[in-house]
């Protein structure tokens, strides 16, 4: 038994992707408890800790956050004086009904709808890139030296994630200066989003224990390497068998996965508002950044918005269980529950409409004529936060995925943040967000 003291903290992750909550004594986590109090307008907190105004709630109302005992992530390996002990919570009304603005509820409902209507479940894994500042001169890209300069950050992170039950796969020095990446094993959609929260908080806490700072900002500097959040997804049938792979056409999406990802591409302009939700998200979403810039399904192409990932045949491995598609137009300013939730809702629209699989396009859209791009279904993603928010508002189907209060809160938060940085030049925007995330 460890002698690191423990005080569990019950949390929710809000529309600015900040994980907020309160410590709760162990005894109050027991089944039948009433959790902690919460205020509706907290949903409208911005990254700048202002409350977006106007918002649907004002100063009125009370809610509770109830713990999900199945979603507790604890480890004493972060170097902190108190155990890292995060308990994911669901926001409910005072009679225990799920609050129709709770982001975690939004995802849970989307997954339940997918399952009820199609029998399909979603496996997902969030892959995070981030910057460590304070470790000194940057080593070469992907180098042993860069990894060792940060030692023992990576082994401690992996051990902490493992102990907490977040199933880490890898962590390593990435391409950018002092940039690192951590990947987690695929899991049920809700668990995957919980683990994304755990990963972000654990990386931050661990960096702090080294006297460094971790930043998940999508664009540390205008000419710098971006930090993406890549969301890997695959479908599982009611029988538990992989449903993204088609044995008759290896390397191509099954009809169901084709329809699902066609739905995602069809709603891309609206989706970017949720998954790339701030002004500087659009500094990253540009061609030739290995991020995402067109409504594009690509085969193992890191410029594509949806990348069909490789499968490995070494040792006779089964491709069906590995086969997955990566959504690359997300960053860590996005709430992981909302991000995955809207992907599921868009995918479900594609399944309902039985959309044909999108064409797999190779080549550089930038060198194609407008007509050629249109013929291949390649359209530029929104190029600014405001354009993306407008696209979300203009997408009548996407609007219906949200309760009216959730949608207006989201728009209010994102517009309040835009107003906060109005007049900043791009360098100041980068600097501001680098300090916030
Ligand atoms: N850093 C790139 C991004 O902004 C991704 C690079 C990679 O493919 O790992 O998304
Ligand atoms: Mg990467």
């Amino acid at each position: 038994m460890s002698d690191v003291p423990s005080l569990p903290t019950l949390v929710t992750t809000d529309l600015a992707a900040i994980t907020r909550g309160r410590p709760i004594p162990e005894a109050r986590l027991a089944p039948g408890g009433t959790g902690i109090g919460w205020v509706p307008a907290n949903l409208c907190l911005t990254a700048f800790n202002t409350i977006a105004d106007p918002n649907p709630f004002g100063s009125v109302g009370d809610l509770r956050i109830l713990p999900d005992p199945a979603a507790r992530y604890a480890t004493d390996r972060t170097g902190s004086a108190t155990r890292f002990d995060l308990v994911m919570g669901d926001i409910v009304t005072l009679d225990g009904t799920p609050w129709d603005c709770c982001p975690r509820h939004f995802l849970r409902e989307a997954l339940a709808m997918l399952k009820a209507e199609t029998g399909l479940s979603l496996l997902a894994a969030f892959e995070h890139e981030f910057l460590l500042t304070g470790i000194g001169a940057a080593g070469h890209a992907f180098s042993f030296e860069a990894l060792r300069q940060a030692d023992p950050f990576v082994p401690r992170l992996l051990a902490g994630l493992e102990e907490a039950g977040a199933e880490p796969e890898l962590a390593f020095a990435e391409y950018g200066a002092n940039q690192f990446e951590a990947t987690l094993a695929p899991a049920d959609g809700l668990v995957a989003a919980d683990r994304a929260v755990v990963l972000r908080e654990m990386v931050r806490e661990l960096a702090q224990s080294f006297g460094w700072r971790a930043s998940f900002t999508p664009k540390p500097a205008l000419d710098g390497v971006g930090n993406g959040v890549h969301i890997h997804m695959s479908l599982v049938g009611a029988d538990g068998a992989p449903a993204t792979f088609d044995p008759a056409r290896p390397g191509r999406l099954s009809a169901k996965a084709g329809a699902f990802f066609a739905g995602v591409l069809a709603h891309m302009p609206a989706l970017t508002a949720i998954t790339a939700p701030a002004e500087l998200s659009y500094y990253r979403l540009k061609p030739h950044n290995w991020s995402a810039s067109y409504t594009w399904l690509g085969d193992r192409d890191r410029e594509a918005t949806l990348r069909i990932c490789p499968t490995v045949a070494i040792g006779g491995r089964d491709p069906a269980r590995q086969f997955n598609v990566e959504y690359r137009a997300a960053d860590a300013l996005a709430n992981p529950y909302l991000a995955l939730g809207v992907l599921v809702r868009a995918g479900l629209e594609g399944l309902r409409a039985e959309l044909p699989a999108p064409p797999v396009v190779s080549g550089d859209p930038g060198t194609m004529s407008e007509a050629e791009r249109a013929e291949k279904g390649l359209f530029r993603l929104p190029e600014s936060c405001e354009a993306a928010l407008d696209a979300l508002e203009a997408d009548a189907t996407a609007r219906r995925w949200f309760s009216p209060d959730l949608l207006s809160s989201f728009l209010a938060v994102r517009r309040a943040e835009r107003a906060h940085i109005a007049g900043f030049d791009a360098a100041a925007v980068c600097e501001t967000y680098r300090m916030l995330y």
Side-chain angles (χ1 to χ4, degrees):
M1 190 67 189
S2 142
D3 56 5
V4 177
S6 184
L7 181 57
T9 305
L10 180 52
V11 296
T12 177
T13 298
D14 69 11
L15 301 181
I18 308 290
T19 297
R20 310 190 204 240
R22 291 176 190 166
I24 179 164
E26 189 72 50
R28 289 183 51 192
L29 287 174
T34 59
I36 58 173
W38 206 243
V39 174
N42 286 359
L43 189 74
C44 297
L45 282 160
T46 70
F48 302 102
N49 300 309
T50 54
I51 296 180
D53 187 27
N55 68 65
F57 312 111
S59 54
V60 179
D62 287 280
L63 298 161
R64 306 295 296 180
I65 304 180
L66 291 185
D68 178 348
R72 182 169 180 180
Y73 295 86
T75 174
D76 54 17
R77 294 183 184 246
T78 61
S80 297
T82 307
R83 195 169 164 76
F84 177 102
D85 194 350
L86 268 186
V87 186
M88 303 302 162
D90 294 298
I91 312 179
V92 300
T93 62
L94 298 184
D95 66 6
T97 311
W99 189 40
D100 65 2
C101 295
C102 172
R104 198 165 183 264
H105 175 67
F106 181 86
L107 174 57
R108 188 189 275 117
E109 248 201 334
L111 293 166
M113 285 172 92
L114 176 69
K115 178 95 186 165
E117 287 185 39
T118 67
L120 295 166
S121 306
L122 184 91
L123 280 180
F126 286 73
E127 184 179 302
H128 284 83
E129 293 170 332
F130 53 93
L131 199 66
L132 289 177
T133 52
I135 60 177
H140 292 287
F142 311 117
S143 70
F144 180 68
E145 182 195 17
L147 182 69
R148 301 298 288 179
Q149 254 165 2
D151 194 61
F153 181 88
V154 163
R156 283 212 191 144
L157 176 64
L158 294 174
L161 289 167
E162 189 70 52
E163 189 175 89
E167 291 196 277
E169 273 189 339
L170 282 177
F172 51 88
E174 244 282 3
Y175 174 63
N178 295 327
Q179 187 188 37
F180 289 78
E181 173 168 325
T183 63
L184 303 170
D188 166 72
L190 188 67
V191 174
D194 284 341
R195 289 177 180 178
V197 171
V198 171
L199 181 124
R200 294 174 192 188
E201 296 308 320
M202 203 182 291
V203 163
R204 290 190 176 109
E205 184 162 314
L206 194 56
Q208 192 188 313
S209 81
F210 284 87
W212 309 334
R213 198 172 167 277
S215 173
F216 289 85
T217 183
K219 206 65 176 164
L222 202 51
D223 57 356
V225 176
N227 290 314
V229 172
H230 302 154
I231 307 176
H232 292 258
M233 290 171 281
S234 60
L235 297 168
V236 179
D239 55 357
T244 309
F245 187 75
D246 180 352
R249 300 185 320 140
R252 290 290 173 263
L253 301 177
S254 67
K256 287 213 163 107
F260 184 94
F261 289 106
V264 169
L265 285 189
H267 290 284
M268 267 320 290
L271 295 180
T272 52
I274 305 289
T275 63
E279 201 53 42
L280 86 166
S281 301
Y282 295 85
Y283 303 171
R284 171 177 165 262
L285 295 188
K286 289 190 191 306
H288 310 135
N289 255 334
W290 289 25
S291 57
S293 46
Y294 288 89
T295 51
W296 176 6
L297 173 69
D299 183 13
R300 291 167 291 167
D301 190 328
R302 288 175 182 78
E303 278 285 304
T305 295
L306 289 177
R307 179 176 76 114
I308 297 178
C309 294
T311 55
V312 179
I314 298 168
R317 279 173 175 74
D318 177 11
R321 291 203 174 271
Q322 303 169 46
F323 201 53
N324 73 89
V325 174
E326 176 190 49
Y327 177 87
R328 297 175 65 85
D331 63 51
L333 309 188
N335 176 302
Y337 303 98
L338 278 193
L340 194 56
V342 291
L343 286 167
V344 171
R345 293 301 301 258
L348 181 55
E349 300 291 349
L351 283 161
R352 282 176 183 156
E354 296 178 17
L355 294 181
V360 177
V361 177
S362 56
D364 180 353
T367 63
M368 297 174 193
S369 68
E370 191 83 46
E372 198 182 342
R373 281 199 296 264
E375 195 235 323
K376 294 178 194 295
L378 297 169
F379 298 97
R380 186 74 172 86
L381 301 183
E383 295 187 52
S384 71
C385 179
E386 195 52 38
L389 295 174
D390 289 347
L392 172 59
E393 280 191 291
D395 185 333
T397 304
R399 277 203 318 265
R400 282 195 296 275
W401 301 337
F402 302 87
S403 71
D405 283 352
L406 178 56
L407 183 62
S408 61
S409 298
F410 180 82
L411 294 168
V413 166
R414 303 327 315 197
R415 292 201 164 114
E417 287 187 6
R418 285 195 70 245
H420 190 100
I421 55 160
F424 288 23
D425 63 18
V429 172
C430 291
E431 170 68 17
T432 302
Y433 276 89
R434 198 154 51 78
M435 301 317 292
L436 287 175
Y437 286 87

